[in-house]
Amino acid sequence: MAMTGDSPAALSGKQKLATGIGLTGLFILILAIANVNFPNKTLFLTLSLGLIAAGTIIFANDAYLGKHEGIKNDGVWFKSMTGRGFWAWILGIALTLFYIVLYWFPQYLGLNSDGENTGIIALFDPLSKLINGGPASQWFVYGTLYTLAILIFGYKFILKYRHNRYEVIRTFSVMFFQLGFAFLIPEILIRLNKPYYDFKNIWPLNYDLFAGYKIQEFLSAGNLGMFMLLFGVVSIFVITPILTYKYGKRWYCSWVCGCGGLAETAGDPYRHLSDKSLFAWKVERWVIHSVLVFVTVMTIAVVYSFLGDESKGYLLTKDVFLWGSALLLTIIFALIMIFKREELAKDAKIGAVSYFVIIMSIIGINYFSGNYKIFFFDAYLLRQWYGFLIGAAFSGVIGVGFYPIFGSRVWCRFGCPMAAILGMQQRLFSKFRITTNGGQCISCGNCSVYCEMGIDVRAYAQKGQNIVRSSCVGCGICSAVCPRGVLKLENGSRNDRIRSEEPVMDDNVDLMDLIRESSK
C-alpha cells in the first residue's frame, strides 16, 4: 500500500509553525518531568498549556478553514501517525508508559505526600491551589491535561465536521460536561470540604460509588452528601433507563462520557483502525459482559461487607441487601427471557443464562457456607483488583495508550461496563436506530471504515436494513461520511425497527477495497 498509494500531502508552512509551537509547550512539560525547577511556575504552566492549545488551534484552522466543507480523511492509511507506522508505535508506547507511571509510580512525576511536590506535579500546584485550594496530585495533573485535550481537539473536530450539525452539537456537549462536571465542579467541591463527586460518572463506570469509604463521606457531608448518594442511585434506576429508551446509549457514550469524549476528539484520527472482523465482535461481547458481571459481583460484595460491619445503624441489613440484590437480578433476567427472548441471538441467550447462574451460585455458595466473602476474597481486596485490572490497566493503559494501534474505542468496545448495560437497554428496549436506504447505497465502504465500534455498517446499508446494535454509540460518523445520505439516526417507534437474529457481518469483507475508496 505504501508503494502504490499516493504520498501524504506535506505540511504547509503554517502547519509546521503550529507544530513547533505545540511541541514547545509540550517540551516545557517534559522539562518539568525531568525535575527542572521553574522560577515562576504560574508563568511557565500558562505558557506550556497556552502553546499546546495555540499550536493545535492554528494547525486545525489551516487544515480545515478555507476549504470546502466535508470530511477530510485524505490519505490516513498512508501516514505514519495514523496508519500504524513508526510514529504511531512511538506515540502508543509513550502514552502507555505515561499511564503506567501515572497510576503506579506517581513519585516519578514529583508527587510527595510528606512535603512539597516536585517535577510536573509541582508545576500544576498554582492551578490546583486556585481551584481546589490545595497542592496538585497526579490526578489533578491528569484531569487538567485530559480536559485540555478534549477542548482543543474538540475544536479541531468541530472544524472538520462543521458541515454536520449533529456532530457539532454533540462535541460541544462533550466539551461542556468534561470541563464543568468532570473537572471544575469536583475540584470546587474539594475546596468546600465536600466529597469529590463527578455527577456524570454513573455506576458501574463509577465503581467506587458504593464503597464503604465513599458512603461514609456522603453520610458525613450532610444534605449535600445524601443528595449525591441518592442522585447516584436514581441515575442507575431512573435517569439512565429513560434516556436510553428515548435516545439510545448515544446520550451518554457520545454526548456526556469523558472516555467517549476523548475517543471522539483526540482519538478521531484513529477511528478507522478498529477491528471489523466477526471474531472481534464475538470477543467483544464476551469480554465486556464478563467485566459487567465482575463489577456487579464486586459491588454487591463491597456493600454487603459495609453493612456487615455497620448494619445495626441502618434499616437495610446485610441479609436483606444480599437477597434483595439476588431477587432484583432474578426479576430482570426473568423479564428479559420472557418478553425479549426472541430478540436475543443464540449465543446471547447462552451467555445470559451462564452469567445469571454464575452470579446466583456465587451469592448462594458464599452465604450458605458462612464464608461471607463474595468470590471467596475480602470485598475490598476484590475492589482493588478491579481497580487495578479494569479501572487502570484496561481503561487507561490499554484504552488510551493503544489509540494509535487498535483505534480509539478499545475500552468502550471491550471493557466499559456502563457501555454493556446501556447496550443491552438499547438493543432490547430503545427507540433509537440507524435507518438505511439500500437503493441509494453505492458500497463505497466509508461507513464501515470509519465506524470506531467495529460495525460493518455497509453490510446493513446494502440490504436496506435498520441498524440496531448494542455496541453502536450513535456517534453519527457513518452518516456524516456517507456521500449519498443513505444513513440516518432516528428515534422512532419500535414497531418499525427491523430485527436481525444474527448481525449482518461478513468475515470475507474486502477491507482493502474499503480502505482504497476511503483514502481517495
Side-chain angles (χ1 to χ4, degrees):
M1 291 177 61
M3 294 175 63
T4 59
D6 295 332
S7 300
L11 296 180
S12 67
K14 186 175 291 187
Q15 290 173 347
K16 292 178 180 179
L17 175 62
T19 302
I21 292 174
L23 289 178
T24 301
L26 183 61
F27 184 66
I28 294 176
L29 296 182
I30 294 175
L31 290 177
I33 293 176
N35 278 324
V36 173
N37 186 18
F38 294 102
N40 189 329
K41 293 181 174 58
T42 302
L43 173 63
F44 278 92
L45 176 62
T46 303
L47 190 62
S48 173
L49 301 184
L51 288 174
I52 292 173
T56 305
I57 291 172
I58 294 172
F59 191 102
N61 286 343
D62 188 71
Y64 302 114
L65 289 181
K67 299 180 181 179
H68 63 82
E69 296 181 353
I71 305 301
K72 302 293 187 301
N73 287 324
D74 307 325
V76 291
W77 277 101
F78 304 107
K79 297 177 182 177
S80 177
M81 186 63 79
T82 57
R84 296 196 185 104
F86 173 79
W87 289 112
W89 282 97
I90 293 296
L91 177 60
I93 293 172
L95 288 173
T96 300
L97 290 175
F98 170 75
Y99 271 92
I100 291 174
V101 174
L102 177 76
Y103 279 107
W104 298 299
F105 304 101
Q107 63 271 21
Y108 294 119
L109 297 177
L111 182 66
N112 187 358
S113 56
D114 298 326
E116 292 188 359
N117 291 324
T118 58
I120 190 174
I121 295 182
L123 184 64
F124 281 76
D125 276 343
L127 181 61
S128 179
K129 292 176 181 178
L130 175 66
I131 300 177
N132 64 38
S137 66
Q138 77 269 35
W139 303 121
F140 180 85
V141 174
Y142 178 58
T144 304
L145 296 177
Y146 196 102
T147 302
L148 178 66
I150 289 181
L151 294 178
I152 60 177
F153 287 107
Y155 174 81
K156 175 178 176 289
F157 187 93
I158 289 172
L159 290 186
K160 181 177 179 180
Y161 296 93
R162 65 188 185 278
H163 69 290
N164 190 298
R165 182 170 176 266
Y166 177 80
E167 301 300 333
V168 172
I169 293 177
R170 78 178 182 90
T171 305
F172 273 120
S173 174
V174 164
M175 295 163 68
F176 167 77
F177 278 102
Q178 176 60 34
L179 178 61
F181 286 81
F183 183 62
L184 291 179
I185 292 178
E187 296 295 337
I188 293 174
L189 286 172
I190 293 178
R191 189 181 188 92
L192 300 176
N193 293 319
K194 300 299 181 181
Y196 181 94
Y197 194 80
D198 180 353
F199 284 91
K200 69 174 184 56
N201 209 11
I202 304 172
W203 184 91
L205 194 59
N206 180 13
Y207 60 89
D208 268 348
L209 178 64
F210 300 111
Y213 81 93
K214 202 67 180 177
I215 294 178
Q216 292 288 11
E217 282 187 2
F218 292 144
L219 297 178
S220 62
N223 292 334
L224 179 59
M226 285 301 299
F227 171 77
M228 291 176 177
L229 181 58
L230 291 176
F231 180 80
V233 175
V234 171
S235 297
I236 299 169
F237 296 104
V238 180
I239 297 176
T240 291
I242 291 176
L243 291 178
T244 306
Y245 169 74
K246 291 179 64 66
Y247 306 109
K249 66 191 288 187
R250 59 177 172 159
W251 77 267
Y252 188 79
C253 295
S254 286
W255 289 67
V256 174
C257 179
C259 300
L262 189 70
E264 291 292 337
T265 53
D268 176 67
Y270 307 105
R271 64 171 54 252
H272 58 287
L273 300 177
S274 61
D275 192 338
K276 311 298 193 297
S277 69
L278 183 60
F279 174 77
W281 174 77
K282 291 181 178 180
V283 171
E284 168 192 332
R285 293 210 300 177
W286 282 100
V287 172
I288 195 172
H289 291 103
S290 297
V291 173
L292 177 59
V293 170
F294 189 0
V295 73
T296 301
V297 173
M298 180 208 69
T299 302
I300 293 175
V302 168
V303 178
Y304 181 77
S305 176
F306 175 78
L307 293 173
D309 296 332
E310 307 288 343
S311 57
K312 292 181 180 180
Y314 303 96
L315 295 176
L316 182 64
T317 66
K318 60 180 182 179
D319 292 345
V320 170
F321 168 77
L322 185 63
W323 292 112
S325 300
L327 178 61
L328 176 63
L329 292 173
T330 301
I331 292 174
I332 293 174
F333 175 79
L335 291 175
I336 291 176
M337 297 307 293
I338 292 173
F339 296 104
K340 298 295 180 180
R341 184 181 182 87
E342 294 184 357
E343 297 189 31
L344 296 176
K346 181 179 179 181
D347 60 337
K349 296 176 184 177
I350 296 174
V353 174
S354 301
Y355 286 133
F356 178 75
V357 171
I358 290 173
I359 294 177
M360 292 299 108
S361 299
I362 290 173
I363 292 176
I365 292 174
N366 283 271
Y367 181 81
F368 289 112
S369 67
N371 188 27
Y372 301 123
K373 291 183 179 180
I374 308 295
F375 267 169
F376 306 100
F377 294 100
D378 182 85
Y380 290 94
L381 179 62
L382 192 64
R383 182 176 65 84
Q384 289 177 354
W385 286 1
Y386 181 89
F388 172 78
L389 295 174
I390 308 301
F394 205 151
S395 66
V397 176
I398 296 176
V400 179
F402 287 12
Y403 271 13
I405 309 302
F406 298 116
S408 58
R409 287 275 190 172
V410 176
W411 161 247
C412 305
R413 287 185 65 185
F414 296 95
C416 179
M418 185 68 179
I421 287 183
L422 297 180
M424 289 189 292
Q425 294 175 359
Q426 175 172 275
R427 180 72 177 84
L428 299 175
F429 308 107
S430 177
K431 299 168 67 176
F432 170 71
R433 77 274 201 220
I434 301 177
T435 59
T436 63
N437 183 350
Q440 292 292 321
C441 180
I442 58 175
S443 298
C444 68
N446 280 345
C447 53
S448 292
V449 169
Y450 296 106
C451 176
E452 59 194 347
M453 298 305 293
I455 301 173
D456 186 8
V457 182
R458 183 178 70 165
Y460 289 90
Q462 288 173 329
K463 293 178 172 63
Q465 191 174 35
N466 289 351
I467 303 171
V468 184
R469 289 282 294 275
S470 59
S471 58
C472 177
V473 294
C475 68
I477 295 298
C478 59
S479 175
V481 299
C482 178
R484 302 281 290 173
V486 172
L487 305 163
K488 185 177 182 181
L489 282 67
E490 295 185 2
N491 300 315
S493 171
R494 284 189 49 82
N495 295 330
D496 28 343
R497 294 189 356 158
I498 298 178
R499 181 179 63 84
S500 174
E501 188 67 20
E502 294 292 344
V504 185
M505 299 184 72
D506 183 3
D507 267 334
N508 297 319
V509 62
D510 189 355
L511 289 180
M512 292 296 291
D513 287 342
L514 303 186
I515 293 166
R516 294 189 188 99
E517 291 294 331
S518 67
S519 298
K520 288 182 178 179

